[in-house]
Amino acid sequence: MFSKKILVLGGDGFCGWPTALHLSESGYDVTILDNLSRRIIDLELGIRSLTPIQPIDIRIDTWEKVSGKRLGFKMLDIATDYQELADFLNELKPDVIVHFAEQRAAPYSMRGAKEKCYTVNNNISGTHNILAAIVSLGLDTHLVHLGTMGVYGYTGAGFQIPEGYLPIEVKNDAGEREPREILYPTRPGSIYHMTKSLDQLLFQFYAQNDGIRITDLHQGIVWGTQTEETRKDPYLVNRFDYDGEYGTVLNRFLVEASIGHPLTVHGTGGQTRAFIHIQDTVRCIRLAIDNPPKHGDRVEILNQVTETLRVRELAKMVSEISGVDIQNVTNPRNESDENDLDVSNAGFLSLGLEPITLDAGLLDETIELSTLYRDRIDMRKIPACTAWNQDRAEVLNDASRSDDV
Amino acid sequence: MFSKKILVLGGDGFCGWPTALHLSESGYDVTILDNLSRRIIDLELGIRSLTPIQPIDIRIDTWEKVSGKRLGFKMLDIATDYQELADFLNELKPDVIVHFAEQRAAPYSMRGAKEKCYTVNNNISGTHNILAAIVSLGLDTHLVHLGTMGVYGYTGAGFQIPEGYLPIEVKNDAGEREPREILYPTRPGSIYHMTKSLDQLLFQFYAQNDGIRITDLHQGIVWGTQTEETRKDPYLVNRFDYDGEYGTVLNRFLVEASIGHPLTVHGTGGQTRAFIHIQDTVRCIRLAIDNPPKHGDRVEILNQVTETLRVRELAKMVSEISGVDIQNVTNPRNESDENDLDVSNAGFLSLGLEPITLDAGLLDETIELSTLYRDRIDMRKIPACTAWNQDRAEVLNDASRSDDV
């Protein structure tokens, strides 16, 4: 049987690792490419995954023992080494490239000039190098890219967010209304989110000019840690971030709950966010691979989300399970305190996704992990301290001074 | 009298050099920053300016002799050396940065993977480094950036192209039409033009998040060579590109006319383009500097164009002046053969611009220059050979094979 050859860029990371295992389990021939940058940033920030993740070679050997399947591995920086990337792609000739190899934390991308520049250079050069190499090598590779819901911006749109393309009306020369469909006009709220908006324009160009098949997945905030495959052996455990830079909001609440720390809600917690469980992430990637767009001049865009909730609703749910209080803290982000979010995920539903929704049972699993590894929690790393701009920095400073009193 | 301190990035180039002189002549305190990349690309491609441009230090000394004014100069690569850029900005603390420091030829940006990656990395990292440095240093610098009409795309819009922002109607939750204004949904036709679309999103973010004052100028195709200041001494002469990569269409026709070579029109020549004379470019930059946007969350976007013409109309005009024939050749670009273009330039008109329009007298000047330096013309460099994609490459190949017969 023909088995698609799949290259997972960033396959050592939080989404990449469970995706690589899921695709391998599903019978694809999987190779991971990673420069281990996420582990290096751990060292830089003095943080570590709550779960004790194994070195990549032990991960791969363990998967072989458990499944009988061998993952390929290539250590390479796709952003800084175009020629080595092109040589590698030319040798492998993957049918599909799944692209997770971007710096993916909004707070980290806002820390300072160094991190802003790194995020832009790494994400844009990396994505563009892949596209340029596919064209230059004449490959017919389907590119599946992880985008973010954040490209749509975090102010209420006033309508349901469509999947990438917005129907509008413009006035033509004769002054008559004319319907058009445009790439959604993005309004990203951080440097990280902005890089995914830039990616969209790279994809638009390469689809239109060279006919590359591209699927861009605008993902919500991921919660949960383990998938069917990562559960199969402790050495396969997925990484779990709870710190102020890389920890996503629900996972951070669950860690706080496990140690009896108040759940820290930014501002009023009135921000509505879109969520997805890590198990659904890996299923969505597989659905995207199995349903490539036709050759044409348009990028396929799907919203990879399963539900929306206000942050304070999340906190309330975790508080009820755990008995831990909620604490409203100053929001370091430059955003509205309250926003609505209504988002379409019709694409994945039509492809057969049966969403996992927020459920106490699944939260339990993460609380258990947090409890099991509570000795590894560094409380000092939990607060989100990176201010979005000068104004926010001053508000944060004032708040911390009044805390001192 | 207070004199604004102005830093001209790319101040050794075709638009940058005459702008630096015009601003210096107007009484500003001008410093040029350049990495001389345009001269280096000349070496790489085996081309040179038709006009014998002088080394930058001779240019600067000559300007001092002519005007009594000294231009500062810093050699630096803003894309690859963030820290040196930040240190330099911190020392100079410019009131205004005029940013021309991007790779600016669409054909060069489409030559191959190397040039595509260079154009993206150079243009995006350079622009982003400036923005990140302004925020990090807490400067209140007004950034004036040279964009391009190409961000709007080259297919007919069906309405007058506005200045950066498009009024649209969307359907809200209640199904009612609601007016909005959005950043124009760009559809660039080359890697080069795409980088200017990416720049727009960088500007949108930094204006919104950090309140940086930014003016983005979407310029048409420049024609002409000399300005009032570059004419003052032969050693101040502006560069003039006539080759297939860097030569803009009208200047290429004028060189062809001067040596009796048929005027090479791509396809039917039915593409409508927007134009501006180099003298108006420098005036527009000064108007933009003198009219900075207010601090706020929105980039000021102006269309820096004075008229629109179809390429075949241009060719006809040059043919009538020179008696040289027109030759229709295969178009290497992936674009429609015929398109309309109606573009607003209300902004600069309201600021007092009195446009120079296409006029035989001004064409004469360039024909005279071409004739004066005809010994420097390399005929082999005139044809535009860079195909936009695989399809275009095959069409070009077929055409050149049938030419051989």
Side-chain angles (χ1 to χ4, degrees), chain A residues 137-151:
Chain A
L137 299 168
L139 300 177
D140 184 27
T141 302
H142 172 207
L143 179 63
V144 177
H145 171 259
L146 198 75
T148 171
M149 281 295 299
V151 299

Side-chain angles (χ1 to χ4, degrees), chain A residues 125-138:
Chain A
S125 298
T127 299
H128 183 260
N129 281 347
I130 298 159
L131 294 163
I134 289 173
V135 170
S136 177
L137 299 168

